[in-house]
Amino acid sequence: MRYNEQLEDNGCDLFPDRTVCVVGNARTANDNPITHAYSHFFMTFVADIDTGLVVDVEASFTLPLTNRFVRSLFLGRPLDVVDEDLLRSVRERYLGSSQKAISVAYKDAVKKFVKAFRDDTKNE
């Protein structure tokens, strides 16, 4: 049995070779439950290197429902450019105390993705 088949049998998610994991970081308020649980807020994005689209995402929220909701906002959206429509959707639809942290973490992840895969100046 191949290693990948073993992972599939164990219920592990597998991502295609042309995907990358990018972590965006932000701070939350001291009274935020996320700060108490994790000390920082972070979002982990899996994106397709070629298209720049988010194929999966999870964040350091304390409730699974929050993760599922935010995931629904980000799936299929770009990580190779800041999507202002997405940020507007976060402002209008996510009414939690981590709203700003979500935007900051997303922008941080975009910056990292662009630097690694879209920055032409790194080869000069």
Side-chain angles (χ1 to χ4, degrees):
M1 181 180 283
R2 292 185 354 246
Y3 177 70
N4 285 354
E5 290 171 343
Q6 288 176 318
L7 289 176
E8 289 169 356
D9 289 344
N10 291 326
C12 294
D13 290 334
L14 293 179
F15 296 100
D17 289 341
R18 297 294 295 167
T19 57
V20 62
C21 182
V22 182
V23 178
N25 299 290
R27 291 195 177 273
T28 54
N30 286 337
D31 62 344
N32 189 309
I34 293 168
T35 303
H36 294 287
Y38 301 107
S39 78
H40 284 84
F41 179 79
F42 52 91
M43 293 182 74
T44 302
F45 297 88
V46 177
D48 183 289
I49 294 170
D50 300 316
T51 66
L53 298 180
V54 174
V55 298
D56 208 350
V57 62
E58 194 164 329
S60 56
F61 294 114
T62 55
L63 298 174
L65 178 60
T66 309
N67 255 315
R68 290 195 314 268
F69 181 82
V70 171
R71 182 176 186 266
S72 75
L73 297 176
F74 281 89
L75 287 182
R77 302 306 274 268
L79 198 62
D80 59 352
V81 63
V82 174
D83 182 342
E84 293 298 332
D85 289 334
L86 170 61
L87 293 175
R88 184 173 23 267
S89 186
V90 168
R91 284 191 306 272
E92 292 173 357
R93 298 185 63 203
Y94 179 82
L95 306 179
S97 60
S98 304
Q99 185 184 81
K100 184 175 180 180
I102 292 169
S103 296
V104 170
Y106 169 64
K107 290 176 184 178
D108 183 49
V110 168
K111 183 171 79 174
K112 291 174 182 176
F113 184 89
V114 168
K115 183 176 181 182
F117 300 104
R118 301 293 192 267
D119 188 357
D120 294 332
T121 62
K122 69 179 179 184
N123 296 322
E124 293 179 358

